Amino acid sequence: MNPKRKQRLAIVLFIVFGAAVAVGLVMYALSQNINLFYSPTDIAEHKAPEGTRIRAGGMVVEGSVKRDTESLQVTFDMTDYANKVTVTFTGILPDLFREGQGIVAQGEMNSDGVFEAVEVLAKHDENYMPPEVAEALKKAGKMPEQIRAAGAE
Amino acid sequence: MADKKWMPRWFYQLASPRWCYEITGKLLPFFAVAALLLLVAGCVWALAFAPADYQQGNSFRIIYIHVPSSILAQSCYMLMAVAGAIGLIWKMKVADMVAKCCAPIGASVAVLSLATGAIWGKPTWGSWWVWDARLTSMLILFFLYLGIIALNSAIESERTAAQSTAVLALVGLVNIPIIKYSVDWWNTLHQPATFKLTERPAMPAEMWVPLLVMVIGFYCFFAVVMMLRLRNEIIQRERRSGWVRDLIAG
């Protein structure tokens, strides 16, 4: 490579690394804001802002979903296998909402320590399988959420 | 002549628009046939024969368009940035043309990826759009493509246009690892990668094999569109040279 090209190569590398460092520092400074949601542990440890609308995410606890017979109100517990938050929501839940499923809820903590959600989104995990495989895994207790729950205990 | 040892011979041959025009003319039919076969086979396999997902049912099948278009949008950006860098360092005309041809194709697949993602997100998550790190960084990629197209067409001189877009493309390159690792670095609604180099995919073979066929099909399709655009660009810019005049005169 002749010196001119070498110099231009150095400039190109400088642009790429300079941009990477600059963006890296910005993201480091903003890292809390880039997270889409707070976990129940963040809320329990008062790391999440209080008295304002936040997003909270976790797994729906098995057997905790209670539906009101008169209205669309649903109450359930959400966990990150360390802490729990009770969530109440009035409205239509996404198709994927079920016990043992990860969700992200937007809302506010009320004075009773219950999370009043205005929006509930289902979080899909990275596992895909045909129904027959899911059935077999469930029988063996090897479903991804069962493994996670067992690992947390 | 010390220069000749630095890179293999084909690298310097690529610098010749005429050689490039001839070689793409020979490669084009192979890629066109491969793209057609793979995309048709992949679509039929994915839509009719792959099993439905245990949770999402049939709606998961949009993955067969969504994932290849997302992968291609990022690969296309990397090709554009590398071609731009080669154009900056070696002042190679063909590299400038490749970089210019990449942008509209990349923008199209980025739109396809964002649109299919939104269509899938509504029934699965319950929302068309969420400002999480993966979705936002992908949207930034799309805006980068638009910015590059706009910048390139705003500057009259071909050489200056190529240089400025190459610099913008190189600055934007930092976005590619952010897209890739956003789901690992932050809490996002978008799920983490199903496919990892070091682990078995979290998906059975009867689901991922058609996906692989689609990904390769998308790459072949990209190669076809890319070569067609590149050949146009070469003819357009070399219209005053002898070999193009001979070509047109027949």
Side-chain angles (χ1 to χ4, degrees):
Chain A
M1 255 212 251
N2 68 28
K4 261 243 167 81
R5 284 178 190 168
K6 238 177 218 163
Q7 194 186 6
R8 287 199 295 257
L9 178 68
I11 294 172
V12 165
L13 290 177
F14 176 77
I15 293 172
V16 172
F17 284 109
V21 169
V23 173
L25 288 173
V26 169
M27 286 196 307
Y28 179 72
L30 295 176
S31 54
Q32 257 318 306
N33 298 331
I34 301 175
N35 282 325
L36 185 72
F37 54 83
Y38 293 98
S39 67
T41 304
D42 291 336
I43 295 169
E45 290 172 356
H46 302 283
K47 275 189 193 152
E50 284 160 22
T52 177
R53 183 176 286 187
I54 57 166
R55 283 209 187 89
M59 292 284 174
V60 179
V61 178
E62 298 272 350
S64 72
V65 179
K66 288 184 217 72
R67 285 172 202 269
D68 193 278
T69 46
E70 299 290 301
S71 67
L72 283 173
Q73 200 189 16
V74 196
T75 313
F76 57 89
D77 290 344
M78 188 166 72
T79 177
D80 58 355
Y81 302 116
N83 286 283
K84 256 193 225 176
V85 172
T86 305
V87 181
T88 150
F89 174 67
T90 307
I92 297 165
L93 293 163
D95 284 0
L96 238 63
F97 180 90
R98 63 198 71 190
E99 292 174 356
Q101 173 76 41
I103 60 132
V104 175
Q106 194 183 62
E108 208 176 315
M109 293 298 287
N110 67 12
S111 48
D112 307 329
V114 174
F115 190 83
E116 281 180 8
V118 292
E119 184 188 37
V120 172
L121 302 175
K123 184 167 159 47
H124 184 258
D125 64 16
E126 68 274 33
N127 298 295
Y128 296 80
M129 57 187 95
E132 311 87 69
V133 177
E135 199 61 36
L137 282 183
K138 204 164 232 164
K139 266 188 201 141
K142 287 266 161 48
M143 284 296 272
E145 64 255 25
Q146 288 166 329
I147 293 171
R148 268 199 299 272
E153 271 159 19
Chain B
M1 282 291 113
D3 244 33
K4 290 282 172 200
K5 287 173 202 145
W6 186 263
M7 286 280 180
R9 195 163 143 254
W10 59 264
F11 184 76
Y12 295 97
Q13 279 180 326
L14 269 181
S16 147
R18 182 181 185 175
W19 188 82
C20 234
Y21 186 85
E22 280 163 7
I23 196 83
T24 48
K26 281 182 199 139
L27 290 175
L28 201 51
F30 295 103
F31 279 98
V33 170
L36 188 71
L37 288 179
L38 286 168
L39 288 178
V40 169
C43 278
V44 172
W45 194 349
L47 294 179
F49 297 105
D53 183 60
Y54 75 112
Q55 275 195 322
Q56 305 170 50
N58 282 322
S59 73
F60 103 98
R61 289 182 202 275
I62 204 162
I63 197 180
Y64 293 110
I65 304 291
H66 178 70
V67 170
S69 54
S70 314
I71 293 176
L72 189 55
Q74 295 171 64
S75 309
C76 181
Y77 193 91
M78 285 193 275
L79 174 63
M80 184 171 71
V82 169
I86 293 175
L88 277 182
I89 299 167
W90 280 275
K91 304 213 174 211
M92 199 187 272
K93 251 196 222 167
V94 174
D96 289 350
M97 296 186 211
V98 168
K100 188 185 172 188
C101 296
C102 275
I105 312 174
S108 321
V109 280
V111 166
L112 190 61
S113 156
L114 290 167
T116 49
I119 293 166
W120 178 81
K122 185 62 188 168
T124 317
W125 295 340
S127 169
W128 295 101
W129 183 264
V130 178
W131 290 101
D132 88 344
R134 170 58 72 81
L135 276 65
T136 310
S137 54
M138 198 65 201
L139 188 66
I140 292 173
L141 182 75
F142 172 59
F143 288 154
L144 273 170
Y145 275 126
L146 291 190
I148 283 163
I149 295 171
L151 185 63
N152 203 303
S153 42
I155 300 171
E156 191 104 17
S157 145
E158 277 162 359
R159 184 66 211 145
T160 324
Q163 279 175 327
S164 358
T165 45
V167 171
L168 179 57
L170 285 168
V171 170
L173 197 60
V174 67
N175 193 31
I176 296 294
I178 296 178
I179 296 178
K180 171 92 177 80
Y181 294 107
S182 54
V183 288
D184 302 324
W185 290 342
W186 302 292
N187 294 333
T188 55
L189 192 62
H190 194 287
Q191 64 269 28
T194 297
F195 302 95
K196 295 181 191 99
L197 283 179
T198 50
E199 286 171 41
R200 276 182 46 227
M203 187 186 248
E206 63 257 48
M207 281 178 170
W208 67 253
V209 174
L211 184 57
L212 185 68
V213 171
M214 287 300 279
V215 170
I216 300 171
F218 262 68
Y219 272 111
C220 289
F221 176 74
F222 168 73
V224 171
V225 180
M226 182 74 213
M227 285 193 273
L228 285 173
R229 293 188 74 95
L230 184 63
R231 285 161 69 81
N232 265 348
E233 192 72 24
I234 291 173
I235 293 285
Q236 161 87 30
R237 287 204 203 176
E238 300 290 303
R239 60 187 177 276
R240 283 182 200 88
S241 67
W243 70 271
V244 175
R245 283 168 189 232
D246 291 347
L247 191 79
I248 291 163

